[in-house]
Amino acid sequence: MSDDEKFDAIIIGAGPAGTACAYVLAKNGKSVLLVERGTSAGSKNVTGGRLYTYALELVEPGLYQDAPLERKVVREQIMMLGAKGAVTMDYMDCVFGEGIPQSYSVLRAPFDEWLAGQAEAQGAMLAPGILVDELIEDSGKIVGIKAGDDEIYATVVIAADGVNSFIAQKAGLRNDIDAHSVGVGAKEIIELPEQVIEDRFNLEESEGAARVLVGCAGGVLGGGFLYTNKNSISLGVVLNPADLACQEKSIHEIVQELKMHPAIYPLIKDGTTVEYGAHLVPEVGYHAMPKSLYRDGLILVGDAAGMVVNTGTIIRGIDLAIVSGVAAARAILKNENASNIGPAYVKELEDLDLTPTMKLYANFHELMSNRRMVSVYPAMANDMMKVMFAVDGKLPERMDKAMLKVLKKHVTFGQLLADGWRGFKAI
């Protein structure tokens, strides 16, 4: 086959990773086929979260200004839910919203469709509604894909087909997903007027809040999230599927209970649910990544490569996906010899600080897998706040004794020390 009959790159999956890669390659004159299983880019996505703008700046400076982003996040919040109350830490920083804002809340469906359109405008060919059935190999090298009766060839294939990557499994780079390395997420989009959102979350126009929820799943390992969009709220949970399977409640029931919690309900009151969805997300991060991110002729990017950072306070996936797509594109542009692309990609990930960042947070998942972190400690924090603020006209108990009593009610000193040491090692 002549070079004129094949693409420089075939990218499987039009999410942020694949589309960012397509954009950079096409802008630099490469022939790119962007294959998407859904009817359009973003049609399968239910993710609502945040995008850190530095990643879009890597694709092209200033690109974020035209993107369909929601609110610039200036309030970072952690809410620990008790049975009838909540302890909320609220950090507000105007600097996060100045210049190039640090991050925005984002709705994936419109964002993905927009970014794919930008890649098309650069010259990439988008092919939606295409299911890739097989990889084509020649002497151990990946040289193309099979989709139905069609065989399409390329110098390199990029797998950007998500957390349960069929392509990565076909290539022998990873096994079936492990229930302990992923989370099952469920989310609702709840419409509310812009002014109502700003009033309830103490925001100025265009400002947003990102809230991590702890103790919101009835003891199931995992946590929740709440993001303010322009005229809606993204509310949901991400739970350990193996742990969830041992519970009597479904994930849908847990989300409904979360919505009715007395600390959450006032924030979404009178809102209209316009979208509900559930899907798998990578959870463990660095330790769950494939041992190799490439084969000769094939590269894994984004969720297909397990790229996620979850510190418990910051959840990063979209930005890492985009960075990995840029890294793949740069490796391809710098290497005419296809056999050199894989090692060059790994180096680009290092140079762009993606791999070092994932290594830095490699053990944080162990901290969040401690069951007391999702049940005991949120309840204990609420009880301690109650001791501090409750007034009934009677002589209060000495504060130190009252706090010690609350502590002993929830944990032993041995458990507290063990958890503290475990947390120290994790970070």
Side-chain angles (χ1 to χ4, degrees):
M1 175 180 293
S2 69
D3 289 342
D4 293 336
E5 297 176 299
K6 68 179 183 180
F7 289 92
D8 291 315
I10 295 174
I11 302 172
I12 305 169
T19 307
C21 184
Y23 184 106
V24 175
L25 288 175
K27 184 180 179 182
N28 285 276
K30 296 295 184 180
S31 59
V32 181
L33 175 63
L34 181 59
V35 178
E36 168 57 37
R37 184 179 63 181
T39 55
S40 63
S43 64
K44 300 188 287 83
N45 289 314
V46 297
T47 305
R50 75 158 77 184
L51 169 68
Y52 289 92
T53 48
Y54 82 91
L56 269 187
E57 288 291 287
L58 286 176
V59 178
E60 182 168 331
L63 187 61
Y64 82 94
Q65 298 178 58
D66 298 321
L69 304 176
E70 295 295 313
R71 291 177 178 269
K72 54 186 179 183
V73 177
V74 298
R75 304 196 86 101
E76 302 282 358
Q77 302 170 340
I78 303 171
M79 175 180 272
M80 292 180 286
L81 297 172
K84 295 292 183 180
V87 177
T88 304
M89 186 189 318
D90 183 2
Y91 173 62
M92 191 271 186
D93 195 332
C94 291
V95 174
F96 287 167
E98 295 175 354
I100 299 175
Q102 175 178 266
S103 68
Y104 283 85
S105 55
V106 64
L107 297 171
R108 280 283 304 276
F111 175 78
D112 285 13
E113 187 172 18
W114 169 82
L115 190 57
Q118 298 299 305
E120 281 190 288
Q122 297 299 325
M125 181 183 298
L126 176 63
I130 303 296
L131 177 63
V132 176
D133 299 309
E134 295 284 349
L135 292 168
I136 302 173
E137 290 191 39
D138 183 8
S139 302
K141 178 182 178 181
I142 306 300
V143 295
I145 61 171
K146 291 181 181 179
D149 295 330
D150 295 324
E151 294 187 355
I152 312 170
Y153 293 85
T155 302
V156 63
V157 175
I158 296 100
D161 54 333
V163 59
N164 191 17
S165 175
F166 169 79
I167 299 302
Q169 292 177 38
K170 278 289 184 181
L173 293 177
R174 67 185 312 166
N175 299 320
D176 288 342
I177 56 173
D178 184 339
H180 296 286
S181 65
V182 297
V184 56
K187 181 207 68 175
E188 289 193 19
I189 298 293
I190 302 167
E191 274 192 351
L192 283 167
E194 290 185 37
Q195 190 61 54
V196 171
I197 292 173
E198 288 159 10
D199 290 344
R200 291 180 181 179
F201 289 88
N202 195 22
L203 301 168
E204 297 294 332
E205 184 179 0
S206 79
E207 291 182 344
R211 182 173 297 190
V212 174
L213 308 175
V214 185
C216 61
V220 180
L221 292 174
F225 58 86
L226 185 155
Y227 296 102
T228 56
N229 306 312
K230 287 180 180 177
N231 58 4
S232 67
I233 289 173
S234 297
L235 176 67
V237 297
V238 178
L239 307 177
N240 179 283
D243 201 42
L244 179 64
C246 299
Q247 310 298 318
E248 295 180 358
K249 295 177 183 177
S250 68
I251 191 169
H252 174 72
E253 290 172 322
I254 290 173
V255 171
Q256 295 311 304
E257 288 185 0
L258 173 61
K259 290 170 62 179
M260 298 309 296
H261 190 282
I264 298 295
Y265 180 72
L267 303 175
I268 62 173
K269 182 181 178 182
D270 300 325
T272 302
T273 298
V274 295
E275 180 183 312
Y276 176 87
H279 67 125
L280 295 176
V281 295
E283 275 282 279
V284 174
Y286 181 75
H287 290 304
M289 291 176 66
K291 292 182 179 179
S292 177
L293 299 177
Y294 66 89
R295 271 186 57 184
D296 197 0
L298 176 70
I299 290 175
L300 307 184
V301 296
D303 281 357
M307 293 174 177
V308 67
V309 164
N310 183 356
T311 69
T313 57
I314 292 178
I315 303 169
R316 295 172 55 184
I318 301 175
D319 64 306
L320 301 183
I322 292 174
V323 172
S324 69
V326 172
R330 290 182 179 182
I332 293 167
L333 292 171
K334 293 177 182 178
N335 292 274
E336 292 186 7
N337 185 340
S339 297
N340 295 334
I341 291 174
Y345 170 56
V346 172
K347 184 177 185 305
E348 291 290 340
L349 292 175
E350 289 281 346
D351 293 345
L352 290 171
D353 284 336
L354 190 153
T355 308
T357 297
M358 293 194 63
K359 287 180 180 178
L360 180 66
Y361 296 117
N363 295 323
F364 269 72
H365 72 280
E366 295 180 5
L367 178 63
M368 303 313 297
S369 65
N370 183 344
R371 192 173 302 280
R372 284 189 288 273
M373 291 293 295
V374 302
S375 56
V376 173
Y377 291 122
M380 186 173 75
N382 277 265
D383 283 353
M384 286 182 168
M385 290 297 106
K386 189 171 184 177
V387 166
M388 292 179 66
F389 295 109
V391 175
D392 60 6
K394 298 178 182 179
L395 179 66
E397 189 174 10
R398 273 184 45 172
M399 186 67 70
D400 56 346
K401 291 185 177 180
M403 288 297 183
L404 186 59
K405 186 181 295 184
V406 171
L407 179 67
K408 289 181 176 179
K409 171 186 172 183
H410 292 280
V411 292
T412 66
F413 283 111
Q415 290 171 332
L416 188 63
L417 289 172
D419 291 342
W421 178 243
R422 184 178 180 182
F424 176 77
K425 289 196 300 181
I427 62 176

